[in-house]
Amino acid sequence: MAYTLRGDDACQPTPPTPLPLPYWVAISPSAANLIGLELNSSKLPADEAWLDLLAGNCLKVDQIHFDHPVATAYSGHQFGVWAGQLGDGRAILLGEIQGQEIQLKGAGITHYSRMGDGRAVLRSSIREFLCSEAMHSLGIPTSRALSVIGSKQSVRREKMETAAVCSRLAPSFIRIGHFEHFASLQNSARLKELAEMLIKYHYPQCLNTKEPFLELFRAICSSNAKLVAHWQAVGFCHGVLNSDNISALGLTIDYGPFGFIDQFQIDHICNHSDHAGRYAYHRQPQIMYWNMTCLASAMIPLMEIDHSEEESQALLNSVLKDFPILYAQEWQQLFRSKLGLRSEDENDVKLIESLLQAMHNSKADFTSTFRSLSEIKKDSKIQEIRLRDQFIHREQIEQWLHDYLLRLQSEARDDQERKVAMNLTNPKYVLRNHLAQVAIEKAQQDDFSEVAILFKILSNPFDEQAQYESYSHPPPPEMQTIEVSCSS
Ligand code: AMP
Ligand code: MG
């Protein structure tokens, strides 16, 4: 659904600013497929007009004409503090193709740009492109990235960089911040239109219920509770979980200073600017819950259409209190699968947590630790399990392996069958920061080959891909401390 609310308080007509001498940096064939875009033998759109469209230099291609590009208004909480009106400061919504909204990120100044230049740099565009598509391949709900288009146009950040435009797709880019926007304007009519639009196009199951708005709230809470459990299960840190970066569809959106954890630290902070660690790994579930409380507050006027103030709050609270339960269920299910467990045992949570504790204490690599669990057989001898080598605290992992082997033995599951299933849930390849960094540095020298290789590897994250084995390795010591901040 291309955002259908019109009017100054909802959006502003915004044509993209042309990008000088644009060129292809990357394109995702499967994202192209989503919108029926045909690629030629060089994996580029058969119709060259797409380059200009995705750079923001024209609004027409094939039979498609985007006659009403907009930037939308939203408000929200940033780092826990009410930030007032924000809005698409550098993303322009072109319109919709085959049920996918298409946005150009970095396409120039909008009404909501405030101090910024409305541009995105090549570095952050490549990171968003690779990570969106990698998350999709991991089976994690996300906005998709169609392309990155580069240019030699200079953009000032901490140093001078060049501009790029990342085009992204999602059935809707509505955020919690869109609700907070109309709530803060005390415009209940607009709030209602927004909620009805979301229900009509994305949550039709809420329509014929007794309390459609409450059901909408439940559905949004549920999809985001599941989403954050998925992040925890792959060691993904979003970095900026402000309420304007939380999707109403439960998608991962707004890739900025995100990171996949290498050496596991439960309180890992991926965003260099997040000094207090508000968005640290272990806080993500709580923060998502906090964002749902922001949504609940914004939705009170909708509930008050049919209920008293106290009733409205009680109803929303009754849904909110399910969030930790839903999250815990999803988390347990995901981590059980990661451990190759099919049945449920009352000690499983303890087993999972003690592995995470041992990993934390030994700074074990998140992705390769889980991946290597599938090599363990029910009758393995602890001393022969290679995983031990990744742990400085040997006695701790040996104790854990002892408990784990007993647990595996409690299930009538064939080792080989379990191994196959585990390797479909514990990825071998994730977008480690150092891999992205190498690809970015080459791209900054106009060599996009590493972006293409990473894209290919991360499109099949569960496959062995023996020729790319080194891409599954933890970063070398000198690349363990790459810093990523909000400046993008
Ligand atoms: P983010 O942290 O990327 O989610 O951005 C937070 C807010 O700042 C959003 O409203 C963005 O649109 C805006 N913003 C970020 N970068 C820029 C930029 N280069 N120019 C204008 N606005 C920006
Ligand atoms: Mg944002």
Side-chain angles (χ1 to χ4, degrees), residues 170-188:
S172 166
F173 282 97
I174 292 179
R175 301 138 192 276
I176 303 313
H178 282 102
F179 282 85
E180 291 180 284
H181 181 63
F182 292 123
S184 71
L185 296 175
Q186 299 185 328
N187 192 336
S188 304

Side-chain angles (χ1 to χ4, degrees), residues 74 78 86-91 105 112-120 157 175 240 242 244-245 254 486 488:
Y74 50 80
Q78 299 195 312
L86 301 161
D88 296 324
R90 54 172 172 165
K105 183 166 176 180
Y112 310 102
S113 295
R114 299 186 297 172
M115 310 295 283
D117 55 11
R119 286 296 184 196
R157 292 295 181 266
R175 301 138 192 276
V240 198
N242 293 337
D244 59 308
N245 288 344
D254 279 17
C486 281
S488 61

